[in-house]
PDB file of all heavy atoms in Angstrom:
ATOM      1  N   TYR A 260     -20.102   5.035 -11.434  1.00  0.00           N
ATOM      2  CA  TYR A 260     -18.707   4.885 -11.867  1.00  0.00           C
ATOM      3  C   TYR A 260     -17.809   5.723 -10.960  1.00  0.00           C
ATOM      4  O   TYR A 260     -18.136   6.873 -10.653  1.00  0.00           O
ATOM      5  CB  TYR A 260     -18.503   5.337 -13.310  1.00  0.00           C
ATOM      6  CG  TYR A 260     -17.020   5.420 -13.681  1.00  0.00           C
ATOM      7  CD1 TYR A 260     -16.295   4.260 -13.975  1.00  0.00           C
ATOM      8  CD2 TYR A 260     -16.358   6.652 -13.699  1.00  0.00           C
ATOM      9  CE1 TYR A 260     -14.963   4.304 -14.270  1.00  0.00           C
ATOM     10  CE2 TYR A 260     -15.007   6.710 -14.021  1.00  0.00           C
ATOM     11  CZ  TYR A 260     -14.302   5.523 -14.292  1.00  0.00           C
ATOM     12  OH  TYR A 260     -12.963   5.603 -14.582  1.00  0.00           O
ATOM     13  N   SER A 261     -16.712   5.126 -10.523  1.00  0.00           N
ATOM     14  CA  SER A 261     -15.764   5.884  -9.728  1.00  0.00           C
ATOM     15  C   SER A 261     -14.356   5.479 -10.140  1.00  0.00           C
ATOM     16  O   SER A 261     -14.107   4.343 -10.555  1.00  0.00           O
ATOM     17  CB  SER A 261     -15.952   5.661  -8.236  1.00  0.00           C
ATOM     18  OG  SER A 261     -15.618   4.321  -7.879  1.00  0.00           O
ATOM     19  N   PHE A 262     -13.432   6.433 -10.042  1.00  0.00           N
ATOM     20  CA  PHE A 262     -12.034   6.192 -10.325  1.00  0.00           C
ATOM     21  C   PHE A 262     -11.186   6.744  -9.178  1.00  0.00           C
ATOM     22  O   PHE A 262     -11.413   7.861  -8.705  1.00  0.00           O
ATOM     23  CB  PHE A 262     -11.601   6.877 -11.618  1.00  0.00           C
ATOM     24  CG  PHE A 262     -10.122   6.782 -11.857  1.00  0.00           C
ATOM     25  CD1 PHE A 262      -9.531   5.623 -12.305  1.00  0.00           C
ATOM     26  CD2 PHE A 262      -9.309   7.892 -11.591  1.00  0.00           C
ATOM     27  CE1 PHE A 262      -8.168   5.538 -12.520  1.00  0.00           C
ATOM     28  CE2 PHE A 262      -7.938   7.810 -11.802  1.00  0.00           C
ATOM     29  CZ  PHE A 262      -7.360   6.623 -12.264  1.00  0.00           C
ATOM     30  N   GLY A 263     -10.240   5.949  -8.756  1.00  0.00           N
ATOM     31  CA  GLY A 263      -9.355   6.390  -7.660  1.00  0.00           C
ATOM     32  C   GLY A 263      -7.933   6.009  -7.963  1.00  0.00           C
ATOM     33  O   GLY A 263      -7.654   4.942  -8.542  1.00  0.00           O
ATOM     34  N   TYR A 264      -7.025   6.884  -7.598  1.00  0.00           N
ATOM     35  CA  TYR A 264      -5.605   6.575  -7.679  1.00  0.00           C
ATOM     36  C   TYR A 264      -5.068   6.487  -6.244  1.00  0.00           C
ATOM     37  O   TYR A 264      -5.087   7.467  -5.491  1.00  0.00           O
ATOM     38  CB  TYR A 264      -4.853   7.666  -8.447  1.00  0.00           C
ATOM     39  CG  TYR A 264      -3.373   7.358  -8.611  1.00  0.00           C
ATOM     40  CD1 TYR A 264      -2.945   6.387  -9.543  1.00  0.00           C
ATOM     41  CD2 TYR A 264      -2.428   7.987  -7.841  1.00  0.00           C
ATOM     42  CE1 TYR A 264      -1.607   6.102  -9.705  1.00  0.00           C
ATOM     43  CE2 TYR A 264      -1.074   7.680  -7.995  1.00  0.00           C
ATOM     44  CZ  TYR A 264      -0.677   6.757  -8.926  1.00  0.00           C
ATOM     45  OH  TYR A 264       0.667   6.448  -9.072  1.00  0.00           O
ATOM     46  N   SER A 265      -4.644   5.282  -5.893  1.00  0.00           N
ATOM     47  CA  SER A 265      -4.297   5.007  -4.482  1.00  0.00           C
ATOM     48  C   SER A 265      -2.794   4.772  -4.354  1.00  0.00           C
ATOM     49  O   SER A 265      -2.196   4.035  -5.153  1.00  0.00           O
ATOM     50  CB  SER A 265      -5.073   3.788  -3.997  1.00  0.00           C
ATOM     51  OG  SER A 265      -4.666   3.413  -2.699  1.00  0.00           O
ATOM     52  N   MET A 296      -1.729   2.035  -7.318  1.00  0.00           N
ATOM     53  CA  MET A 296      -2.652   1.393  -8.217  1.00  0.00           C
ATOM     54  C   MET A 296      -3.784   2.344  -8.576  1.00  0.00           C
ATOM     55  O   MET A 296      -4.253   3.109  -7.750  1.00  0.00           O
ATOM     56  CB  MET A 296      -3.264   0.126  -7.573  1.00  0.00           C
ATOM     57  CG  MET A 296      -4.249   0.412  -6.439  1.00  0.00           C
ATOM     58  SD  MET A 296      -4.474  -0.989  -5.356  1.00  0.00           S
ATOM     59  CE  MET A 296      -3.009  -0.822  -4.329  1.00  0.00           C
ATOM     60  N   PRO A 297      -4.221   2.343  -9.846  1.00  0.00           N
ATOM     61  CA  PRO A 297      -5.470   3.005 -10.236  1.00  0.00           C
ATOM     62  C   PRO A 297      -6.621   1.997 -10.222  1.00  0.00           C
ATOM     63  O   PRO A 297      -6.450   0.860 -10.640  1.00  0.00           O
ATOM     64  CB  PRO A 297      -5.170   3.497 -11.661  1.00  0.00           C
ATOM     65  CG  PRO A 297      -4.203   2.494 -12.207  1.00  0.00           C
ATOM     66  CD  PRO A 297      -3.446   1.911 -11.012  1.00  0.00           C
ATOM     67  N   VAL A 298      -7.768   2.400  -9.717  1.00  0.00           N
ATOM     68  CA  VAL A 298      -8.896   1.481  -9.602  1.00  0.00           C
ATOM     69  C   VAL A 298     -10.155   2.080 -10.236  1.00  0.00           C
ATOM     70  O   VAL A 298     -10.524   3.218  -9.924  1.00  0.00           O
ATOM     71  CB  VAL A 298      -9.184   1.150  -8.100  1.00  0.00           C
ATOM     72  CG1 VAL A 298     -10.331   0.154  -7.985  1.00  0.00           C
ATOM     73  CG2 VAL A 298      -7.939   0.622  -7.416  1.00  0.00           C
ATOM     74  N   HIS A 299     -10.775   1.289 -11.108  1.00  0.00           N
ATOM     75  CA  HIS A 299     -12.080   1.657 -11.711  1.00  0.00           C
ATOM     76  C   HIS A 299     -13.158   0.783 -11.067  1.00  0.00           C
ATOM     77  O   HIS A 299     -13.021  -0.450 -10.998  1.00  0.00           O
ATOM     78  CB  HIS A 299     -12.077   1.419 -13.213  1.00  0.00           C
ATOM     79  CG  HIS A 299     -11.028   2.206 -13.938  1.00  0.00           C
ATOM     80  ND1 HIS A 299     -11.287   3.444 -14.527  1.00  0.00           N
ATOM     81  CD2 HIS A 299      -9.701   1.932 -14.178  1.00  0.00           C
ATOM     82  CE1 HIS A 299     -10.188   3.888 -15.083  1.00  0.00           C
ATOM     83  NE2 HIS A 299      -9.221   3.010 -14.901  1.00  0.00           N
ATOM     84  N   THR A 300     -14.242   1.389 -10.642  1.00  0.00           N
ATOM     85  CA  THR A 300     -15.396   0.655 -10.109  1.00  0.00           C
ATOM     86  C   THR A 300     -16.628   0.996 -10.931  1.00  0.00           C
ATOM     87  O   THR A 300     -16.949   2.194 -11.089  1.00  0.00           O
ATOM     88  CB  THR A 300     -15.637   0.959  -8.651  1.00  0.00           C
ATOM     89  OG1 THR A 300     -14.454   0.681  -7.878  1.00  0.00           O
ATOM     90  CG2 THR A 300     -16.777   0.117  -8.067  1.00  0.00           C
ATOM     91  N   GLU A 322     -14.770  -4.391 -10.617  1.00  0.00           N
ATOM     92  CA  GLU A 322     -13.661  -3.604 -10.097  1.00  0.00           C
ATOM     93  C   GLU A 322     -12.414  -3.996 -10.886  1.00  0.00           C
ATOM     94  O   GLU A 322     -12.041  -5.177 -10.912  1.00  0.00           O
ATOM     95  CB  GLU A 322     -13.460  -3.853  -8.619  1.00  0.00           C
ATOM     96  CG  GLU A 322     -12.358  -2.975  -8.027  1.00  0.00           C
ATOM     97  CD  GLU A 322     -12.187  -3.188  -6.530  1.00  0.00           C
ATOM     98  OE1 GLU A 322     -12.944  -2.556  -5.759  1.00  0.00           O
ATOM     99  OE2 GLU A 322     -11.333  -3.996  -6.140  1.00  0.00           O
ATOM    100  N   ILE A 323     -11.796  -3.029 -11.495  1.00  0.00           N
ATOM    101  CA  ILE A 323     -10.641  -3.280 -12.380  1.00  0.00           C
ATOM    102  C   ILE A 323      -9.464  -2.403 -11.954  1.00  0.00           C
ATOM    103  O   ILE A 323      -9.600  -1.165 -11.918  1.00  0.00           O
ATOM    104  CB  ILE A 323     -10.989  -3.013 -13.853  1.00  0.00           C
ATOM    105  CG1 ILE A 323     -12.151  -3.919 -14.303  1.00  0.00           C
ATOM    106  CG2 ILE A 323      -9.769  -3.257 -14.735  1.00  0.00           C
ATOM    107  CD1 ILE A 323     -12.675  -3.593 -15.674  1.00  0.00           C
ATOM    108  N   GLN A 324      -8.380  -3.043 -11.628  1.00  0.00           N
ATOM    109  CA  GLN A 324      -7.118  -2.320 -11.383  1.00  0.00           C
ATOM    110  C   GLN A 324      -6.288  -2.449 -12.654  1.00  0.00           C
ATOM    111  O   GLN A 324      -5.848  -3.543 -12.991  1.00  0.00           O
ATOM    112  CB  GLN A 324      -6.361  -2.912 -10.207  1.00  0.00           C
ATOM    113  CG  GLN A 324      -7.082  -2.824  -8.873  1.00  0.00           C
ATOM    114  CD  GLN A 324      -6.259  -3.398  -7.727  1.00  0.00           C
ATOM    115  OE1 GLN A 324      -5.061  -3.541  -7.790  1.00  0.00           O
ATOM    116  NE2 GLN A 324      -6.957  -3.774  -6.653  1.00  0.00           N
ATOM    117  N   GLN A 325      -6.107  -1.333 -13.357  1.00  0.00           N
ATOM    118  CA  GLN A 325      -5.376  -1.385 -14.621  1.00  0.00           C
ATOM    119  C   GLN A 325      -3.990  -1.987 -14.438  1.00  0.00           C
ATOM    120  O   GLN A 325      -3.511  -2.751 -15.260  1.00  0.00           O
ATOM    121  CB  GLN A 325      -5.249   0.036 -15.197  1.00  0.00           C
ATOM    122  CG  GLN A 325      -6.537   0.610 -15.716  1.00  0.00           C
ATOM    123  CD  GLN A 325      -6.366   2.057 -16.155  1.00  0.00           C
ATOM    124  OE1 GLN A 325      -6.411   2.963 -15.343  1.00  0.00           O
ATOM    125  NE2 GLN A 325      -6.118   2.263 -17.434  1.00  0.00           N
TER     126      GLN A 325
END
Side-chain angles (χ1 to χ4, degrees):
Y260 170 77
S261 67
F262 172 77
Y264 183 75
S265 174
M296 72 201 80
V298 182
H299 300 265
T300 303
E322 183 178 276
I323 300 173
Q324 297 181 22
Q325 289 175 276

